[in-house]
Amino acid sequence: MSSHPAVAPAPGTSRAGRDLPVAVAVGVALLIAVAASLFLRKELFGVVAVVAVGAGLWELANAFARRGVGIPVAPLIVGDVGILVSAYVAGMEALFVAFVLTVGGIVVWRVLDGSGPRAVRDATAGVFAAAYLPLMAGFVMLLLAEEDGALRVALFILLCVANDTGGYVVGVLIGRHPLAPSVSPKKTWEGLLGSVVLACVIGVLGIHFMFDGDPALGALLGVATVAVATLGDLGESMIKRDLELKDMGTLLPGHGGVLDRIDSMLLAAPVVFLLLHTLQPVVS
């Protein structure tokens, strides 16, 4: 235990260190914007996804620059558009072809700027960024491309929101036992349980009302989403800790950067896609 006295949070600031009213307002505005793009015209959501991934790439490049690593941003932005559009228009094979072409573009772009160990380091970081952001986000576009894609993406987003909300509320109220204190001190086992419970509830209700499917699939989706989303969140926390950053950016008041909001979604996307795709007879 620390010998220092506890410092009371500033008015309007939660135990998690966020300006709660601002965070809630921004979160609600984002959900409204995403819902509007999904159900007015699916392609609008695709534009939102491309912009969000592009913002995340920009934040990641700025963060890595703190350690002298120069991620090739231009080919990554082109790859962002190419990977997401290819996934939506032509499916999984096109997704991976576009990813391979992006990797090639990153390597060539960096080599043209000079070779040697630094070029290898920069190109490797660029390939990581391409796999971490546009490749993972491509699975959201695969969900969107389905005939009932808007509903599938809506369920995916609700599961991720349930993971964040359940973990935040329960962690703030009764969280006592750190989950990974060396990586993310504010995450607790109690918060993880809150995430599982709320995500399972959302999964069961979503599968039932959206697809008239088996509640067991909804519970499986809830548990799987929390498992991979937590790994994604902890992974980004490790990167931020290594870079000595609290947030990846400041684009979203009360939340940090765009990447701070989509980190857990990125790893959850392929898992939710594969579960729904594999168990399609259950939800069709």
Side-chain angles (χ1 to χ4, degrees):
M1 293 290 289
S2 170
S3 60
H4 297 290
V7 178
T13 302
S14 70
R15 266 180 54 186
R18 299 290 184 189
D19 187 328
L20 191 54
V22 171
V24 170
V26 171
V28 170
L30 288 173
L31 282 176
I32 292 173
V34 167
S37 68
L38 265 180
F39 294 105
L40 288 177
R41 188 173 180 85
K42 288 199 300 185
E43 289 78 7
L44 290 176
F45 177 82
V47 174
V48 171
V50 167
V51 171
V53 170
L57 288 169
W58 177 75
E59 291 173 348
L60 190 62
N62 285 338
F64 274 33
R66 292 170 58 91
R67 289 289 185 266
V69 178
I71 294 179
V73 176
L76 277 169
I77 296 300
V78 173
D80 168 26
V81 177
I83 291 171
L84 269 61
V85 171
S86 297
Y88 180 73
V89 173
M92 188 177 294
E93 288 185 2
L95 164 66
F96 285 105
V97 169
F99 171 69
V100 171
L101 291 174
T102 300
V103 169
I106 290 168
V107 173
V108 171
W109 185 279
R110 184 57 188 85
V111 169
L112 290 176
D113 226 10
S115 57
R118 180 164 184 165
V120 173
R121 183 188 61 185
D122 293 349
T124 301
V127 172
F128 164 76
Y132 182 34
L133 282 143
L135 179 61
M136 295 296 100
F139 286 91
V140 181
M141 303 307 290
L142 293 177
L143 282 170
L144 188 68
E146 299 283 352
E147 186 176 348
D148 54 357
L151 289 177
R152 290 179 182 239
V153 173
L155 177 58
F156 160 71
I157 292 173
L158 288 173
L159 285 167
C160 293
V161 170
N163 168 67
D164 288 343
T165 304
Y168 176 83
V169 172
V170 175
V172 166
L173 292 178
I174 62 172
R176 296 294 182 272
H177 301 88
L179 176 63
S182 64
V183 177
S184 185
K186 291 173 183 174
K187 286 192 177 299
T188 63
W189 285 103
E190 293 85 353
L192 180 64
L193 179 60
S195 293
V196 170
V197 171
L198 187 55
C200 285
V201 170
I202 293 298
V204 169
L205 293 177
I207 286 294
H208 176 71
F209 289 107
M210 292 179 178
F211 305 103
D212 193 25
D214 188 344
L217 173 58
L220 177 61
L221 281 169
V223 173
T225 298
V226 171
V228 292
T230 300
L231 290 176
D233 199 20
L234 290 175
E236 198 220 12
S237 293
M238 290 178 65
I239 295 173
K240 290 191 292 188
R241 182 168 287 268
D242 185 61
L243 297 173
E244 298 179 352
L245 290 171
K246 181 179 184 295
D247 295 316
M248 279 292 187
T250 57
L251 291 174
L252 301 176
H255 294 266
V258 172
L259 189 51
D260 295 302
R261 285 298 87 212
I262 65 175
D263 55 354
S264 58
M265 292 183 172
L266 291 169
L267 264 65
V271 172
V272 172
F273 168 77
L274 290 172
L275 284 175
L276 287 176
H277 186 74
T278 303
L279 302 175
Q280 191 171 3
V282 179
V283 300
S284 59

